[in-house]
Amino acid sequence: GDSVTQMEGPVTLSEEAFLTINCTYTATGYPSLFWYVQYPGEGLQLLLKATKADDKGSNKGFEATYRKETTSFHLEKGSVQVSDSAVYFCALSAPSAGGTSYGKLTFGQGTILTVHP
Amino acid sequence: KAGVTQTPRYLIKTRGQQVTLSCSPISGHRSVSWYQQTPGQGLQFLFEYFSETQRNKGNFPGRFSGRQFSNSRSEMNVSTLELGDSALYLCASSFYLDRPYEQYFGPGTRLTVT
């Protein structure tokens, strides 16, 4: 079945450091890929997305490129801020058997990011 | 545009009881998916509804059920609660019928079973 593997955390960085969170996936077919972020006590917020090979999703300084050859979708940010402290989830959406539904997201285990001033 | 709303936000139930959680999607969104989030298992897909029909289902026992109404609002029900059902239950809505199928999440309902 489909699966997503994220680098283990937690990740602790100083403000303005470079961030990389690795994500690799296994899926049948051609999935769409997402990064979601969860702040304490809140639901998930969509951070960025990509739907085909070599697509680059970007938002709020975060970027990720859909690499089909390495089945990866690594999240990067050039200069993190304290406000980026949160849990980050990589996820994929692939069609169900029969292709009638894309409504199931398969998530990685999440990576806790803490940024210190 | 208002986001996805979930009620109640917090719930405490006793083992053996049943519970109903409610989700109102973003206006215009017709698809609703439900997820369970626990520290041990992470985020797991429960089911998806579109136009009042269940289109996809995760690997959960039959005690977990759901439905969707004609206004796209959705409810999920858990019968005969077990301690392991304690979790954050997240609802997500989507407008699109196919890719990229962005899902927008509500704040969740925190269920504690004692």
PDB file of all heavy atoms in Angstrom, chain A residues 30-32 34 36 38 43-44 49 51 89 96 100-105 107, chain B residues 9 33 35 37 43 45 48 55-56 88 90 99-103 105-107:
ATOM      1  N   TYR A  30       0.304   7.682  -9.697  1.00  0.00           N
ATOM      2  CA  TYR A  30       0.974   8.968  -9.743  1.00  0.00           C
ATOM      3  C   TYR A  30       0.344   9.887  -8.687  1.00  0.00           C
ATOM      4  O   TYR A  30      -0.637  10.565  -8.954  1.00  0.00           O
ATOM      5  CB  TYR A  30       0.765   9.566 -11.131  1.00  0.00           C
ATOM      6  CG  TYR A  30       1.892  10.410 -11.621  1.00  0.00           C
ATOM      7  CD1 TYR A  30       2.188  10.452 -12.968  1.00  0.00           C
ATOM      8  CD2 TYR A  30       2.644  11.199 -10.767  1.00  0.00           C
ATOM      9  CE1 TYR A  30       3.205  11.244 -13.453  1.00  0.00           C
ATOM     10  CE2 TYR A  30       3.660  11.996 -11.233  1.00  0.00           C
ATOM     11  CZ  TYR A  30       3.938  12.017 -12.580  1.00  0.00           C
ATOM     12  OH  TYR A  30       4.951  12.800 -13.065  1.00  0.00           O
ATOM     13  N   PRO A  31       0.910   9.897  -7.470  1.00  0.00           N
ATOM     14  CA  PRO A  31       0.247  10.648  -6.397  1.00  0.00           C
ATOM     15  C   PRO A  31       0.471  12.144  -6.493  1.00  0.00           C
ATOM     16  O   PRO A  31       1.393  12.613  -7.162  1.00  0.00           O
ATOM     17  CB  PRO A  31       0.922  10.088  -5.143  1.00  0.00           C
ATOM     18  CG  PRO A  31       2.303   9.745  -5.604  1.00  0.00           C
ATOM     19  CD  PRO A  31       2.132   9.216  -7.004  1.00  0.00           C
ATOM     20  N   SER A  32      -0.371  12.899  -5.801  1.00  0.00           N
ATOM     21  CA  SER A  32      -0.103  14.294  -5.487  1.00  0.00           C
ATOM     22  C   SER A  32       0.582  14.322  -4.132  1.00  0.00           C
ATOM     23  O   SER A  32       0.315  13.483  -3.275  1.00  0.00           O
ATOM     24  CB  SER A  32      -1.403  15.092  -5.434  1.00  0.00           C
ATOM     25  OG  SER A  32      -2.024  15.117  -6.700  1.00  0.00           O
ATOM     26  N   PHE A  34       2.029  16.623  -0.672  1.00  0.00           N
ATOM     27  CA  PHE A  34       1.700  17.792   0.145  1.00  0.00           C
ATOM     28  C   PHE A  34       2.630  17.866   1.354  1.00  0.00           C
ATOM     29  O   PHE A  34       3.119  16.850   1.847  1.00  0.00           O
ATOM     30  CB  PHE A  34       0.259  17.700   0.677  1.00  0.00           C
ATOM     31  CG  PHE A  34      -0.791  17.496  -0.375  1.00  0.00           C
ATOM     32  CD1 PHE A  34      -1.138  16.224  -0.794  1.00  0.00           C
ATOM     33  CD2 PHE A  34      -1.447  18.582  -0.932  1.00  0.00           C
ATOM     34  CE1 PHE A  34      -2.114  16.020  -1.766  1.00  0.00           C
ATOM     35  CE2 PHE A  34      -2.427  18.395  -1.901  1.00  0.00           C
ATOM     36  CZ  PHE A  34      -2.756  17.121  -2.312  1.00  0.00           C
ATOM     37  N   TYR A  36       1.987  19.554   5.154  1.00  0.00           N
ATOM     38  CA  TYR A  36       1.085  20.208   6.086  1.00  0.00           C
ATOM     39  C   TYR A  36       1.874  20.589   7.339  1.00  0.00           C
ATOM     40  O   TYR A  36       2.862  19.938   7.694  1.00  0.00           O
ATOM     41  CB  TYR A  36      -0.060  19.277   6.478  1.00  0.00           C
ATOM     42  CG  TYR A  36      -1.169  19.153   5.455  1.00  0.00           C
ATOM     43  CD1 TYR A  36      -1.086  18.224   4.421  1.00  0.00           C
ATOM     44  CD2 TYR A  36      -2.294  19.961   5.533  1.00  0.00           C
ATOM     45  CE1 TYR A  36      -2.106  18.113   3.489  1.00  0.00           C
ATOM     46  CE2 TYR A  36      -3.318  19.851   4.599  1.00  0.00           C
ATOM     47  CZ  TYR A  36      -3.215  18.923   3.587  1.00  0.00           C
ATOM     48  OH  TYR A  36      -4.225  18.816   2.656  1.00  0.00           O
ATOM     49  N   GLN A  38       1.325  21.698  11.552  1.00  0.00           N
ATOM     50  CA  GLN A  38       0.391  21.702  12.683  1.00  0.00           C
ATOM     51  C   GLN A  38       1.021  22.462  13.845  1.00  0.00           C
ATOM     52  O   GLN A  38       2.061  22.061  14.366  1.00  0.00           O
ATOM     53  CB  GLN A  38       0.044  20.279  13.101  1.00  0.00           C
ATOM     54  CG  GLN A  38      -1.022  20.193  14.186  1.00  0.00           C
ATOM     55  CD  GLN A  38      -1.434  18.761  14.484  1.00  0.00           C
ATOM     56  OE1 GLN A  38      -0.608  17.846  14.444  1.00  0.00           O
ATOM     57  NE2 GLN A  38      -2.718  18.555  14.769  1.00  0.00           N
ATOM     58  N   GLY A  43      -5.498  22.320  14.159  1.00  0.00           N
ATOM     59  CA  GLY A  43      -5.548  21.338  13.085  1.00  0.00           C
ATOM     60  C   GLY A  43      -4.401  21.529  12.121  1.00  0.00           C
ATOM     61  O   GLY A  43      -3.484  22.308  12.377  1.00  0.00           O
ATOM     62  N   LEU A  44      -4.455  20.835  11.011  1.00  0.00           N
ATOM     63  CA  LEU A  44      -3.388  20.906  10.016  1.00  0.00           C
ATOM     64  C   LEU A  44      -3.653  22.022   9.009  1.00  0.00           C
ATOM     65  O   LEU A  44      -4.783  22.218   8.572  1.00  0.00           O
ATOM     66  CB  LEU A  44      -3.279  19.582   9.254  1.00  0.00           C
ATOM     67  CG  LEU A  44      -2.478  18.465   9.910  1.00  0.00           C
ATOM     68  CD1 LEU A  44      -3.185  17.940  11.149  1.00  0.00           C
ATOM     69  CD2 LEU A  44      -2.236  17.332   8.922  1.00  0.00           C
ATOM     70  N   LYS A  49       2.068  22.216  -2.122  1.00  0.00           N
ATOM     71  CA  LYS A  49       1.661  21.002  -2.823  1.00  0.00           C
ATOM     72  C   LYS A  49       2.371  20.910  -4.167  1.00  0.00           C
ATOM     73  O   LYS A  49       2.888  21.893  -4.686  1.00  0.00           O
ATOM     74  CB  LYS A  49       0.153  21.000  -3.063  1.00  0.00           C
ATOM     75  CG  LYS A  49      -0.312  22.089  -4.016  1.00  0.00           C
ATOM     76  CD  LYS A  49      -1.805  22.107  -4.162  1.00  0.00           C
ATOM     77  CE  LYS A  49      -2.264  23.129  -5.206  1.00  0.00           C
ATOM     78  NZ  LYS A  49      -2.012  24.499  -4.783  1.00  0.00           N
ATOM     79  N   THR A  51       1.881  18.308  -7.945  1.00  0.00           N
ATOM     80  CA  THR A  51       1.054  17.257  -8.535  1.00  0.00           C
ATOM     81  C   THR A  51       1.754  16.428  -9.596  1.00  0.00           C
ATOM     82  O   THR A  51       1.241  15.378  -9.982  1.00  0.00           O
ATOM     83  CB  THR A  51      -0.219  17.848  -9.157  1.00  0.00           C
ATOM     84  OG1 THR A  51       0.177  18.795 -10.144  1.00  0.00           O
ATOM     85  CG2 THR A  51      -1.068  18.528  -8.117  1.00  0.00           C
ATOM     86  N   PHE A  89       4.176  17.653   8.465  1.00  0.00           N
ATOM     87  CA  PHE A  89       3.755  16.355   7.943  1.00  0.00           C
ATOM     88  C   PHE A  89       3.855  16.339   6.425  1.00  0.00           C
ATOM     89  O   PHE A  89       3.324  17.229   5.754  1.00  0.00           O
ATOM     90  CB  PHE A  89       2.297  16.052   8.319  1.00  0.00           C
ATOM     91  CG  PHE A  89       2.062  15.837   9.774  1.00  0.00           C
ATOM     92  CD1 PHE A  89       1.687  16.896  10.598  1.00  0.00           C
ATOM     93  CD2 PHE A  89       2.196  14.580  10.337  1.00  0.00           C
ATOM     94  CE1 PHE A  89       1.456  16.705  11.956  1.00  0.00           C
ATOM     95  CE2 PHE A  89       1.967  14.368  11.688  1.00  0.00           C
ATOM     96  CZ  PHE A  89       1.605  15.439  12.487  1.00  0.00           C
ATOM     97  N   SER A  96      -8.054   5.903  -5.153  1.00  0.00           N
ATOM     98  CA  SER A  96      -8.457   4.653  -4.540  1.00  0.00           C
ATOM     99  C   SER A  96      -8.562   3.581  -5.623  1.00  0.00           C
ATOM    100  O   SER A  96      -8.522   3.869  -6.818  1.00  0.00           O
ATOM    101  CB  SER A  96      -9.810   4.817  -3.852  1.00  0.00           C
ATOM    102  OG  SER A  96     -10.799   5.154  -4.818  1.00  0.00           O
ATOM    103  N   THR A 100     -11.986   6.136  -8.101  1.00  0.00           N
ATOM    104  CA  THR A 100     -13.135   7.012  -7.881  1.00  0.00           C
ATOM    105  C   THR A 100     -12.906   8.051  -6.800  1.00  0.00           C
ATOM    106  O   THR A 100     -13.724   8.950  -6.631  1.00  0.00           O
ATOM    107  CB  THR A 100     -14.367   6.176  -7.486  1.00  0.00           C
ATOM    108  OG1 THR A 100     -14.059   5.431  -6.296  1.00  0.00           O
ATOM    109  CG2 THR A 100     -14.755   5.220  -8.596  1.00  0.00           C
ATOM    110  N   SER A 101     -11.827   7.940  -6.073  1.00  0.00           N
ATOM    111  CA  SER A 101     -11.659   8.829  -4.933  1.00  0.00           C
ATOM    112  C   SER A 101     -10.203   9.192  -4.729  1.00  0.00           C
ATOM    113  O   SER A 101      -9.325   8.339  -4.830  1.00  0.00           O
ATOM    114  CB  SER A 101     -12.192   8.148  -3.667  1.00  0.00           C
ATOM    115  OG  SER A 101     -11.738   8.812  -2.509  1.00  0.00           O
ATOM    116  N   TYR A 102      -9.957  10.470  -4.458  1.00  0.00           N
ATOM    117  CA  TYR A 102      -8.637  10.939  -4.035  1.00  0.00           C
ATOM    118  C   TYR A 102      -8.698  11.460  -2.615  1.00  0.00           C
ATOM    119  O   TYR A 102      -7.835  12.205  -2.199  1.00  0.00           O
ATOM    120  CB  TYR A 102      -8.177  12.083  -4.950  1.00  0.00           C
ATOM    121  CG  TYR A 102      -7.536  11.644  -6.240  1.00  0.00           C
ATOM    122  CD1 TYR A 102      -8.302  11.291  -7.332  1.00  0.00           C
ATOM    123  CD2 TYR A 102      -6.152  11.589  -6.359  1.00  0.00           C
ATOM    124  CE1 TYR A 102      -7.706  10.908  -8.523  1.00  0.00           C
ATOM    125  CE2 TYR A 102      -5.554  11.210  -7.546  1.00  0.00           C
ATOM    126  CZ  TYR A 102      -6.341  10.865  -8.622  1.00  0.00           C
ATOM    127  OH  TYR A 102      -5.759  10.481  -9.801  1.00  0.00           O
ATOM    128  N   GLY A 103      -9.721  11.051  -1.890  1.00  0.00           N
ATOM    129  CA  GLY A 103      -9.976  11.689  -0.605  1.00  0.00           C
ATOM    130  C   GLY A 103      -9.209  11.146   0.560  1.00  0.00           C
ATOM    131  O   GLY A 103      -9.463  11.534   1.690  1.00  0.00           O
ATOM    132  N   LYS A 104      -8.274  10.234   0.307  1.00  0.00           N
ATOM    133  CA  LYS A 104      -7.485   9.684   1.400  1.00  0.00           C
ATOM    134  C   LYS A 104      -6.079  10.249   1.335  1.00  0.00           C
ATOM    135  O   LYS A 104      -5.366  10.077   0.339  1.00  0.00           O
ATOM    136  CB  LYS A 104      -7.419   8.158   1.285  1.00  0.00           C
ATOM    137  CG  LYS A 104      -6.471   7.522   2.299  1.00  0.00           C
ATOM    138  CD  LYS A 104      -6.367   6.028   2.067  1.00  0.00           C
ATOM    139  CE  LYS A 104      -5.362   5.405   3.021  1.00  0.00           C
ATOM    140  NZ  LYS A 104      -5.214   3.949   2.775  1.00  0.00           N
ATOM    141  N   LEU A 105      -5.682  10.930   2.405  1.00  0.00           N
ATOM    142  CA  LEU A 105      -4.304  11.365   2.543  1.00  0.00           C
ATOM    143  C   LEU A 105      -3.556  10.332   3.381  1.00  0.00           C
ATOM    144  O   LEU A 105      -4.043   9.927   4.436  1.00  0.00           O
ATOM    145  CB  LEU A 105      -4.230  12.729   3.232  1.00  0.00           C
ATOM    146  CG  LEU A 105      -4.616  13.947   2.382  1.00  0.00           C
ATOM    147  CD1 LEU A 105      -4.734  15.182   3.253  1.00  0.00           C
ATOM    148  CD2 LEU A 105      -3.587  14.172   1.279  1.00  0.00           C
ATOM    149  N   PHE A 107      -0.177   9.967   5.514  1.00  0.00           N
ATOM    150  CA  PHE A 107       0.762  10.877   6.154  1.00  0.00           C
ATOM    151  C   PHE A 107       2.029  10.167   6.622  1.00  0.00           C
ATOM    152  O   PHE A 107       2.008   8.987   6.995  1.00  0.00           O
ATOM    153  CB  PHE A 107       0.115  11.515   7.387  1.00  0.00           C
ATOM    154  CG  PHE A 107      -0.935  12.542   7.077  1.00  0.00           C
ATOM    155  CD1 PHE A 107      -2.266  12.174   6.943  1.00  0.00           C
ATOM    156  CD2 PHE A 107      -0.600  13.874   6.928  1.00  0.00           C
ATOM    157  CE1 PHE A 107      -3.237  13.119   6.662  1.00  0.00           C
ATOM    158  CE2 PHE A 107      -1.564  14.831   6.650  1.00  0.00           C
ATOM    159  CZ  PHE A 107      -2.892  14.451   6.516  1.00  0.00           C
TER     160      PHE A 107
ATOM    161  N   ARG B   9     -15.288  20.753  20.585  1.00  0.00           N
ATOM    162  CA  ARG B   9     -13.835  20.777  20.513  1.00  0.00           C
ATOM    163  C   ARG B   9     -13.214  19.777  21.488  1.00  0.00           C
ATOM    164  O   ARG B   9     -12.158  19.209  21.209  1.00  0.00           O
ATOM    165  CB  ARG B   9     -13.315  22.172  20.834  1.00  0.00           C
ATOM    166  CG  ARG B   9     -13.620  23.212  19.780  1.00  0.00           C
ATOM    167  CD  ARG B   9     -12.851  22.956  18.463  1.00  0.00           C
ATOM    168  NE  ARG B   9     -11.437  22.725  18.672  1.00  0.00           N
ATOM    169  CZ  ARG B   9     -10.537  23.697  18.799  1.00  0.00           C
ATOM    170  NH1 ARG B   9     -10.913  24.964  18.742  1.00  0.00           N
ATOM    171  NH2 ARG B   9      -9.257  23.405  18.995  1.00  0.00           N
ATOM    172  N   SER B  33     -13.519  14.336   4.611  1.00  0.00           N
ATOM    173  CA  SER B  33     -12.739  13.176   5.071  1.00  0.00           C
ATOM    174  C   SER B  33     -12.497  13.304   6.567  1.00  0.00           C
ATOM    175  O   SER B  33     -12.398  14.414   7.090  1.00  0.00           O
ATOM    176  CB  SER B  33     -11.399  13.102   4.335  1.00  0.00           C
ATOM    177  OG  SER B  33     -11.582  12.905   2.944  1.00  0.00           O
ATOM    178  N   TYR B  35     -10.091  11.866   9.948  1.00  0.00           N
ATOM    179  CA  TYR B  35      -8.817  11.259  10.336  1.00  0.00           C
ATOM    180  C   TYR B  35      -8.750  11.157  11.855  1.00  0.00           C
ATOM    181  O   TYR B  35      -9.294  11.991  12.571  1.00  0.00           O
ATOM    182  CB  TYR B  35      -7.634  12.109   9.850  1.00  0.00           C
ATOM    183  CG  TYR B  35      -7.547  12.230   8.351  1.00  0.00           C
ATOM    184  CD1 TYR B  35      -8.271  13.188   7.670  1.00  0.00           C
ATOM    185  CD2 TYR B  35      -6.751  11.359   7.613  1.00  0.00           C
ATOM    186  CE1 TYR B  35      -8.205  13.293   6.289  1.00  0.00           C
ATOM    187  CE2 TYR B  35      -6.675  11.452   6.231  1.00  0.00           C
ATOM    188  CZ  TYR B  35      -7.414  12.428   5.591  1.00  0.00           C
ATOM    189  OH  TYR B  35      -7.349  12.516   4.220  1.00  0.00           O
ATOM    190  N   GLN B  37      -5.940  11.095  14.922  1.00  0.00           N
ATOM    191  CA  GLN B  37      -4.543  11.392  15.231  1.00  0.00           C
ATOM    192  C   GLN B  37      -4.223  10.966  16.655  1.00  0.00           C
ATOM    193  O   GLN B  37      -4.848  11.444  17.618  1.00  0.00           O
ATOM    194  CB  GLN B  37      -4.237  12.878  15.052  1.00  0.00           C
ATOM    195  CG  GLN B  37      -2.756  13.205  15.237  1.00  0.00           C
ATOM    196  CD  GLN B  37      -2.424  14.666  14.986  1.00  0.00           C
ATOM    197  OE1 GLN B  37      -3.282  15.545  15.074  1.00  0.00           O
ATOM    198  NE2 GLN B  37      -1.171  14.944  14.641  1.00  0.00           N
ATOM    199  N   LEU B  43      -1.373  10.013  12.086  1.00  0.00           N
ATOM    200  CA  LEU B  43      -2.610  10.388  11.399  1.00  0.00           C
ATOM    201  C   LEU B  43      -3.075   9.239  10.529  1.00  0.00           C
ATOM    202  O   LEU B  43      -2.353   8.795   9.639  1.00  0.00           O
ATOM    203  CB  LEU B  43      -2.367  11.620  10.526  1.00  0.00           C
ATOM    204  CG  LEU B  43      -2.329  12.940  11.250  1.00  0.00           C
ATOM    205  CD1 LEU B  43      -1.477  13.954  10.501  1.00  0.00           C
ATOM    206  CD2 LEU B  43      -3.756  13.491  11.409  1.00  0.00           C
ATOM    207  N   PHE B  45      -6.398   7.657   8.222  1.00  0.00           N
ATOM    208  CA  PHE B  45      -7.620   7.938   7.482  1.00  0.00           C
ATOM    209  C   PHE B  45      -8.754   7.038   7.954  1.00  0.00           C
ATOM    210  O   PHE B  45      -8.583   5.823   8.064  1.00  0.00           O
ATOM    211  CB  PHE B  45      -7.349   7.717   5.999  1.00  0.00           C
ATOM    212  CG  PHE B  45      -8.552   7.776   5.111  1.00  0.00           C
ATOM    213  CD1 PHE B  45      -9.134   8.983   4.776  1.00  0.00           C
ATOM    214  CD2 PHE B  45      -9.086   6.607   4.587  1.00  0.00           C
ATOM    215  CE1 PHE B  45     -10.230   9.040   3.938  1.00  0.00           C
ATOM    216  CE2 PHE B  45     -10.180   6.640   3.743  1.00  0.00           C
ATOM    217  CZ  PHE B  45     -10.754   7.861   3.423  1.00  0.00           C
ATOM    218  N   GLU B  48     -14.151   8.826   3.814  1.00  0.00           N
ATOM    219  CA  GLU B  48     -14.426  10.009   3.000  1.00  0.00           C
ATOM    220  C   GLU B  48     -15.856   9.930   2.492  1.00  0.00           C
ATOM    221  O   GLU B  48     -16.321   8.852   2.073  1.00  0.00           O
ATOM    222  CB  GLU B  48     -13.481  10.092   1.806  1.00  0.00           C
ATOM    223  CG  GLU B  48     -13.743  11.299   0.912  1.00  0.00           C
ATOM    224  CD  GLU B  48     -13.394  11.072  -0.539  1.00  0.00           C
ATOM    225  OE1 GLU B  48     -12.943   9.960  -0.880  1.00  0.00           O
ATOM    226  OE2 GLU B  48     -13.569  12.010  -1.337  1.00  0.00           O
ATOM    227  N   ARG B  55     -17.135   7.153  -0.097  1.00  0.00           N
ATOM    228  CA  ARG B  55     -16.367   6.805  -1.288  1.00  0.00           C
ATOM    229  C   ARG B  55     -15.103   6.016  -0.958  1.00  0.00           C
ATOM    230  O   ARG B  55     -14.525   5.371  -1.837  1.00  0.00           O
ATOM    231  CB  ARG B  55     -15.980   8.048  -2.064  1.00  0.00           C
ATOM    232  CG  ARG B  55     -17.148   8.831  -2.608  1.00  0.00           C
ATOM    233  CD  ARG B  55     -16.793   9.615  -3.846  1.00  0.00           C
ATOM    234  NE  ARG B  55     -15.681  10.525  -3.646  1.00  0.00           N
ATOM    235  CZ  ARG B  55     -15.161  11.262  -4.615  1.00  0.00           C
ATOM    236  NH1 ARG B  55     -15.645  11.185  -5.828  1.00  0.00           N
ATOM    237  NH2 ARG B  55     -14.160  12.066  -4.372  1.00  0.00           N
ATOM    238  N   ASN B  56     -14.668   6.106   0.281  1.00  0.00           N
ATOM    239  CA  ASN B  56     -13.433   5.427   0.643  1.00  0.00           C
ATOM    240  C   ASN B  56     -13.454   5.197   2.142  1.00  0.00           C
ATOM    241  O   ASN B  56     -14.040   5.991   2.895  1.00  0.00           O
ATOM    242  CB  ASN B  56     -12.222   6.277   0.237  1.00  0.00           C
ATOM    243  CG  ASN B  56     -10.962   5.451   0.046  1.00  0.00           C
ATOM    244  OD1 ASN B  56     -10.921   4.273   0.400  1.00  0.00           O
ATOM    245  ND2 ASN B  56      -9.934   6.066  -0.503  1.00  0.00           N
ATOM    246  N   LEU B  88      -7.290  12.766  18.805  1.00  0.00           N
ATOM    247  CA  LEU B  88      -7.775  13.974  18.153  1.00  0.00           C
ATOM    248  C   LEU B  88      -8.400  13.539  16.835  1.00  0.00           C
ATOM    249  O   LEU B  88      -7.741  12.886  16.022  1.00  0.00           O
ATOM    250  CB  LEU B  88      -6.630  14.951  17.908  1.00  0.00           C
ATOM    251  CG  LEU B  88      -6.989  16.280  17.232  1.00  0.00           C
ATOM    252  CD1 LEU B  88      -7.882  17.132  18.137  1.00  0.00           C
ATOM    253  CD2 LEU B  88      -5.732  17.048  16.861  1.00  0.00           C
ATOM    254  N   LEU B  90      -9.888  14.633  13.362  1.00  0.00           N
ATOM    255  CA  LEU B  90      -9.812  15.751  12.430  1.00  0.00           C
ATOM    256  C   LEU B  90     -10.710  15.512  11.231  1.00  0.00           C
ATOM    257  O   LEU B  90     -10.754  14.418  10.681  1.00  0.00           O
ATOM    258  CB  LEU B  90      -8.369  15.931  11.954  1.00  0.00           C
ATOM    259  CG  LEU B  90      -7.367  16.388  13.013  1.00  0.00           C
ATOM    260  CD1 LEU B  90      -5.949  16.148  12.547  1.00  0.00           C
ATOM    261  CD2 LEU B  90      -7.575  17.855  13.346  1.00  0.00           C
ATOM    262  N   ARG B  99      -7.559  15.473  -8.803  1.00  0.00           N
ATOM    263  CA  ARG B  99      -6.290  16.062  -8.409  1.00  0.00           C
ATOM    264  C   ARG B  99      -6.331  17.572  -8.529  1.00  0.00           C
ATOM    265  O   ARG B  99      -6.977  18.107  -9.410  1.00  0.00           O
ATOM    266  CB  ARG B  99      -5.181  15.493  -9.271  1.00  0.00           C
ATOM    267  CG  ARG B  99      -5.106  14.015  -9.194  1.00  0.00           C
ATOM    268  CD  ARG B  99      -4.079  13.473 -10.116  1.00  0.00           C
ATOM    269  NE  ARG B  99      -2.747  13.906  -9.715  1.00  0.00           N
ATOM    270  CZ  ARG B  99      -1.647  13.466 -10.273  1.00  0.00           C
ATOM    271  NH1 ARG B  99      -1.718  12.591 -11.249  1.00  0.00           N
ATOM    272  NH2 ARG B  99      -0.484  13.901  -9.878  1.00  0.00           N
ATOM    273  N   PRO B 100      -5.596  18.323  -7.701  1.00  0.00           N
ATOM    274  CA  PRO B 100      -4.687  17.850  -6.670  1.00  0.00           C
ATOM    275  C   PRO B 100      -5.353  17.528  -5.336  1.00  0.00           C
ATOM    276  O   PRO B 100      -4.683  17.112  -4.409  1.00  0.00           O
ATOM    277  CB  PRO B 100      -3.731  19.024  -6.489  1.00  0.00           C
ATOM    278  CG  PRO B 100      -4.576  20.212  -6.754  1.00  0.00           C
ATOM    279  CD  PRO B 100      -5.538  19.787  -7.839  1.00  0.00           C
ATOM    280  N   TYR B 101      -6.618  17.710  -5.283  1.00  0.00           N
ATOM    281  CA  TYR B 101      -7.396  17.303  -4.129  1.00  0.00           C
ATOM    282  C   TYR B 101      -6.863  17.864  -2.821  1.00  0.00           C
ATOM    283  O   TYR B 101      -6.583  17.133  -1.877  1.00  0.00           O
ATOM    284  CB  TYR B 101      -7.467  15.773  -4.046  1.00  0.00           C
ATOM    285  CG  TYR B 101      -8.817  15.312  -3.579  1.00  0.00           C
ATOM    286  CD1 TYR B 101      -9.873  15.167  -4.466  1.00  0.00           C
ATOM    287  CD2 TYR B 101      -9.053  15.040  -2.243  1.00  0.00           C
ATOM    288  CE1 TYR B 101     -11.119  14.760  -4.034  1.00  0.00           C
ATOM    289  CE2 TYR B 101     -10.299  14.640  -1.812  1.00  0.00           C
ATOM    290  CZ  TYR B 101     -11.325  14.503  -2.707  1.00  0.00           C
ATOM    291  OH  TYR B 101     -12.554  14.109  -2.284  1.00  0.00           O
ATOM    292  N   GLU B 102      -6.767  19.185  -2.776  1.00  0.00           N
ATOM    293  CA  GLU B 102      -6.329  19.828  -1.545  1.00  0.00           C
ATOM    294  C   GLU B 102      -7.379  19.657  -0.469  1.00  0.00           C
ATOM    295  O   GLU B 102      -8.567  19.873  -0.709  1.00  0.00           O
ATOM    296  CB  GLU B 102      -6.121  21.320  -1.789  1.00  0.00           C
ATOM    297  CG  GLU B 102      -5.090  21.607  -2.845  1.00  0.00           C
ATOM    298  CD  GLU B 102      -5.128  23.055  -3.264  1.00  0.00           C
ATOM    299  OE1 GLU B 102      -5.623  23.886  -2.483  1.00  0.00           O
ATOM    300  OE2 GLU B 102      -4.675  23.356  -4.374  1.00  0.00           O
ATOM    301  N   GLN B 103      -6.956  19.292   0.700  1.00  0.00           N
ATOM    302  CA  GLN B 103      -7.875  19.145   1.821  1.00  0.00           C
ATOM    303  C   GLN B 103      -7.580  20.208   2.874  1.00  0.00           C
ATOM    304  O   GLN B 103      -6.425  20.467   3.188  1.00  0.00           O
ATOM    305  CB  GLN B 103      -7.755  17.750   2.437  1.00  0.00           C
ATOM    306  CG  GLN B 103      -8.215  16.653   1.483  1.00  0.00           C
ATOM    307  CD  GLN B 103      -8.309  15.303   2.136  1.00  0.00           C
ATOM    308  OE1 GLN B 103      -8.505  15.183   3.355  1.00  0.00           O
ATOM    309  NE2 GLN B 103      -8.184  14.259   1.349  1.00  0.00           N
ATOM    310  N   PHE B 105      -8.316  21.409   6.773  1.00  0.00           N
ATOM    311  CA  PHE B 105      -8.637  20.760   8.036  1.00  0.00           C
ATOM    312  C   PHE B 105      -9.288  21.704   9.039  1.00  0.00           C
ATOM    313  O   PHE B 105      -8.976  22.895   9.093  1.00  0.00           O
ATOM    314  CB  PHE B 105      -7.366  20.183   8.665  1.00  0.00           C
ATOM    315  CG  PHE B 105      -6.896  18.921   8.016  1.00  0.00           C
ATOM    316  CD1 PHE B 105      -6.201  18.959   6.820  1.00  0.00           C
ATOM    317  CD2 PHE B 105      -7.172  17.686   8.591  1.00  0.00           C
ATOM    318  CE1 PHE B 105      -5.774  17.785   6.212  1.00  0.00           C
ATOM    319  CE2 PHE B 105      -6.747  16.512   7.995  1.00  0.00           C
ATOM    320  CZ  PHE B 105      -6.043  16.560   6.797  1.00  0.00           C
ATOM    321  N   GLY B 106     -10.166  21.126   9.848  1.00  0.00           N
ATOM    322  CA  GLY B 106     -10.698  21.823  10.994  1.00  0.00           C
ATOM    323  C   GLY B 106      -9.758  21.700  12.178  1.00  0.00           C
ATOM    324  O   GLY B 106      -8.721  21.046  12.092  1.00  0.00           O
ATOM    325  N   PRO B 107     -10.131  22.311  13.308  1.00  0.00           N
ATOM    326  CA  PRO B 107      -9.268  22.309  14.489  1.00  0.00           C
ATOM    327  C   PRO B 107      -9.268  20.983  15.245  1.00  0.00           C
ATOM    328  O   PRO B 107      -8.397  20.746  16.077  1.00  0.00           O
ATOM    329  CB  PRO B 107      -9.849  23.422  15.363  1.00  0.00           C
ATOM    330  CG  PRO B 107     -11.288  23.458  14.967  1.00  0.00           C
ATOM    331  CD  PRO B 107     -11.337  23.132  13.503  1.00  0.00           C
TER     332      PRO B 107
END
